[in-house]
């Protein structure tokens, strides 16, 4: 605490940022909460409906549950790229002698490309007619049978819109996990290695336990970002065909700005926020339980 | 098993029993080549879509429609870039994105630094609570703000302005900025401030002459992380902006997407390449600082 600070100084420094934060973030959250108890199309008078929107969402809305389930698939696919593949690559990278910087830079590149550009790319990557990258690659290795229009096939569309999200930020999480892995004390690894431990055992018994806290922080980041995924599914399929790739975010957006049902859309966005909070709490719980166990 | 006993036993044993046999060395070398090949393969799959976009943008349009997507272009042409330039006002989009990105970043850096200074250097009763309030913002999905902001903007005539994008973009980036600055400020030794205070420097002078200048590296990290998010923002721009004159790059690129049947793919990919370039240049120039910032920022937390 600075000795000659004054109340004015604190206010001068604190009020401008706090003001922006309240206007742009906190205010809208509370506003959504209020709107979620109303029915309103933006033009006629607002009608207070109590918990009706919530009742409708939980008990009468098939699309809501469908979208929630899709969200879990979306989450699983993107975490596969952002945590599993990223961890594998980060671990392999520690064994590579030259070109590490190049690998890091190249792997991070997709992160700077806008989602609109990514959606444009993937529309063409997935297409069958004309033959896109995925189908051409399948053809080249003799798997012609698997070729299909990935974005209009009901069985594949959800995974197809999820993969670009995972691909996009995999580099960021790889970088963080790599930084954690090279911070593992070398003496521990060397000792185990001389003792004849396989590299797999070194990974599971020494490296992973050591980076576990960082891994869980990374998991929180990746999970909250994936749960708010919107741009790519919205741009690629707009939730379709039917509602086969609908997520809560795309459903909320359409409810608000296509059906102009602002009350119900706010109920959905309150749920989206709750979902993120629950995800963070769950991972936090895993983190704490691990700490006591060891 | 405890690591220290493992280590002691291992070194003793090793000293007597295991000279590196030539066969073992060969196997190790083989394994290393395998790992390198695997890493190269993963990176190739990750980067190939981007390489493909670049190659496509340089490929004659006719060849793209008919040809094998993996083949190298038969000739390189800039014709697609010319058409991309004609199809939409690209410079206008780039300009709009620059305005939004620069103003938002200025706000995020200055306000983030001020908040972190008030919360971690000046401190006051309840500063922990306010800090927590800011941190919650890191996990809040931006979508929750769309309906309320849309309604508020239409009341105060802010729809379809630069501000309508800048306010939420800066607001939602602020928590991360406050977090990064306050973790950095904790590393500035207290004595530095005490010495300055003894010399009669007030909180404003200390901020301007000590805290701010020391934060250069953190500023780079904050600006880069947020620029990715802001430069590429689609959802706020799509919701709040209608007029062609204010469209940022992501909205502008959508114009290419419009007519599905007759889409000019090579020109579209040329436009994608143009719009990625500014961020790419910044990224390549500041590569070291950015990667260092991301690594240290994340592992400290």
């Amino acid at each position: 605490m600075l000795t000659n600070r004054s109340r004015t100084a604190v206010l001068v420094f604190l009020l401008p940022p706090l003001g922006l934060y309240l206007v742009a973030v906190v205010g809208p959250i509370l506003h959504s909460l209020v709107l979620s108890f109303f029915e309103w199309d933006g033009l006629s008078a607002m009608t207070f409906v109590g918990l009706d929107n919530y009742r409708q969402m939980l008990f009468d809305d098939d699309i809501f549950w469908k979208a929630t389930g899709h969200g879990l698939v979306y989450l699983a696919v993107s975490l596969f790229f952002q945590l599993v593949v990223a961890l594998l690559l980060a671990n392999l990278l520690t064994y590579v002698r030259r070109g590490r910087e190049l690998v890091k830079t190249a792997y991070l590149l997709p992160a700077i490309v806008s989602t609109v550009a990514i959606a444009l790319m993937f529309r063409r990557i997935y297409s069958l007619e004309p033959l896109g990258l995925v189908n051409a690659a399948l053809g080249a290795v003799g798997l012609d049978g698997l070729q299909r229009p990935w974005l209009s096939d009901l069985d594949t569309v959800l995974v197809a819109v999820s993969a670009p999200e995972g691909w996009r930020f995999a580099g960021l999480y790889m970088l963080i996990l790599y930084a954690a892995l090279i911070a593992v004390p070398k003496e521990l690894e060397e000792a185990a290695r001389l003792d004849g431990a396989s590299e797999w055992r070194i990974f599971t018994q020494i490296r992973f336990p050591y980076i576990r806290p960082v891994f869980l922080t990374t998991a929180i980041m990746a999970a909250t970002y994936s749960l708010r995924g919107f741009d790519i599914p919205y741009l690629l399929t707009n939730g379709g065909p039917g509602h086969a790739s609908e997520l809560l975010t795309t459903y909320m957006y359409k409810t608000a700005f296509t059906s102009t049902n602002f009350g119900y859309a706010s109920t959905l966005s309150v749920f989206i926020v709750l979902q993120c909070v629950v995800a963070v709490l769950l991972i936090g719980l895993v983190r704490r339980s691990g700490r006591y166990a060891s | 098993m405890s690591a220290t006993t493992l280590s002691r036993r291992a070194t003793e044993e090793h000293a007597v029993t295991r000279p590196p046999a030539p066969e073992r060395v060969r196997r190790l070398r083989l394994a290393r080549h395998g790992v390198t090949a695997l890493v190269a393969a993963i990176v190739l799959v990750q980067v190939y879509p981007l390489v493909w976009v670049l190659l496509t943008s340089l490929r004659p349009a006719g060849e793209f429609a008919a040809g094998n997507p993996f083949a190298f272009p038969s000739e390189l042409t800039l014709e697609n870039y010319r058409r991309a330039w004609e199809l939409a006002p690209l410079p206008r989009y780039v300009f709009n994105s620059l305005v939004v990105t620069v103003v938002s970043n200025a706000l995020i850096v200055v306000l983030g630094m001020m908040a972190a200074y008030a919360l971690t250097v000046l401190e006051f009763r309840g500063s922990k609570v306010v800090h927590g309030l800011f941190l919650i913002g890191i996990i809040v999905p931006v979508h929750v703000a769309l309906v309320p902001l849309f309604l508020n903007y239409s009341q105060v005539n802010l729809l379809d302005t630069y501000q309508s994008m800048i306010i939420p973009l800066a607001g939602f980036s602020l928590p991360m900025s406050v977090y990064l600055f306050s973790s950095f400020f904790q590393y500035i030794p207290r004595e530095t401030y005490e010495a300055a205070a003894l010399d009669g420097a007030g909180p404003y002078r200390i901020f301007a002459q000590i805290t701010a200048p020391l934060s250069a590296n953190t500023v780079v990290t904050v600006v880069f992380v947020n620029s990715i998010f802001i430069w590429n923002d689609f959802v706020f721009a799509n919701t709040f902006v209608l007029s062609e004159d204010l469209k940022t790059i992501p909205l502008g690129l959508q114009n290419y997407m419009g007519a599905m049947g007759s889409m000019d793919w090579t020109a579209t990919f040329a436009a994608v390449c143009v719009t990625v370039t500014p961020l790419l240049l910044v990224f390549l120039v500041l590569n070291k600082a950015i990667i260092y910032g991301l690594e240290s920022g994340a592992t400290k937390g």
Side-chain angles (χ1 to χ4, degrees), chain A residues 212-213 216-217 220 282-291, chain B residues 301:
Chain A
R212 197 167 173 275
L216 290 171
T217 311
I220 290 182
L282 277 181
I283 299 175
L285 216 64
V286 172
R287 192 151 133 179
R288 184 157 311 161
S289 71
R291 199 171 289 154

Side-chain angles (χ1 to χ4, degrees), chain A residues 92-264:
Chain A
L92 289 178
L93 196 56
T94 60
Y95 295 100
V96 173
R97 291 235 173 103
R98 274 177 304 166
R100 289 184 189 189
E101 296 306 313
L102 185 69
V103 169
K104 286 196 267 183
T105 308
Y107 214 67
L108 194 56
L109 269 185
I112 65 166
V113 181
S114 73
T115 48
V116 178
I118 289 175
L120 283 167
M121 277 166 58
F122 275 86
R123 178 176 285 193
R124 193 49 214 253
I125 285 174
Y126 286 133
S127 72
L128 180 62
E129 190 63 48
L131 203 62
L133 275 190
V134 174
N135 288 317
L138 286 173
V141 294
L143 291 170
D144 308 54
L146 290 177
Q147 290 181 340
R148 67 188 73 206
W150 297 87
L151 290 176
S152 37
D153 189 317
L154 289 179
D155 296 327
T156 57
V157 62
L158 181 59
V159 173
V161 298
S162 314
E165 178 78 39
W167 170 75
R168 198 177 161 217
F169 285 131
L172 179 62
Y173 301 116
M174 193 281 280
L175 209 66
I176 295 171
L177 294 171
Y178 170 78
L181 282 172
I182 54 170
V184 176
K186 287 285 164 292
E187 309 83 67
L188 292 181
E189 294 178 11
E190 284 310 316
R193 208 163 277 145
L194 292 173
D195 218 23
S198 65
E199 294 303 319
W200 171 249
R201 272 202 67 195
I202 289 177
F203 177 73
T204 53
Q205 308 278 310
I206 297 176
R207 287 190 166 185
F208 190 75
Y210 195 88
I211 67 161
R212 197 167 173 275
V214 178
F215 183 78
L216 290 171
T217 311
T218 316
I220 290 182
M221 284 168 67
T224 52
Y225 273 96
S226 299
L227 284 174
R228 60 176 91 157
F230 166 79
D231 295 14
I232 295 169
Y234 178 78
L235 291 162
L236 272 180
T237 60
N238 196 10
H243 291 286
S245 59
E246 197 79 79
L247 298 180
L248 281 176
T249 46
T250 56
Y251 183 43
M252 187 282 282
Y253 199 82
K254 286 190 277 186
T255 308
F257 299 106
T258 312
S259 330
T260 56
N261 191 345
F262 290 126
Y264 194 56

Side-chain angles (χ1 to χ4, degrees), chain A residues 27-145:
Chain A
I29 296 176
L30 300 177
H31 195 166
S32 286
L33 197 61
V34 172
L35 281 174
S36 72
F37 298 110
F38 287 85
E39 193 177 316
W40 191 37
D41 60 5
L43 297 170
S44 45
M46 290 168 72
T47 337
F48 181 78
V49 292
L51 289 171
D52 265 14
N53 285 332
Y54 288 91
R55 198 189 43 72
Q56 188 195 339
M57 179 175 83
L58 293 174
F59 302 109
D60 283 333
D61 190 346
D62 292 343
I63 302 172
F64 165 76
W65 286 109
K66 215 175 193 179
T68 308
H70 290 166
L72 295 178
V73 176
Y74 190 84
L75 182 67
V77 172
S78 66
L79 291 190
F80 170 76
F81 285 101
Q82 296 177 343
L83 296 179
V84 180
V85 179
L87 183 60
L88 173 74
L89 181 63
N91 196 43
L92 289 178
L93 196 56
T94 60
Y95 295 100
V96 173
R97 291 235 173 103
R98 274 177 304 166
R100 289 184 189 189
E101 296 306 313
L102 185 69
V103 169
K104 286 196 267 183
T105 308
Y107 214 67
L108 194 56
L109 269 185
I112 65 166
V113 181
S114 73
T115 48
V116 178
I118 289 175
L120 283 167
M121 277 166 58
F122 275 86
R123 178 176 285 193
R124 193 49 214 253
I125 285 174
Y126 286 133
S127 72
L128 180 62
E129 190 63 48
L131 203 62
L133 275 190
V134 174
N135 288 317
L138 286 173
V141 294
L143 291 170
D144 308 54

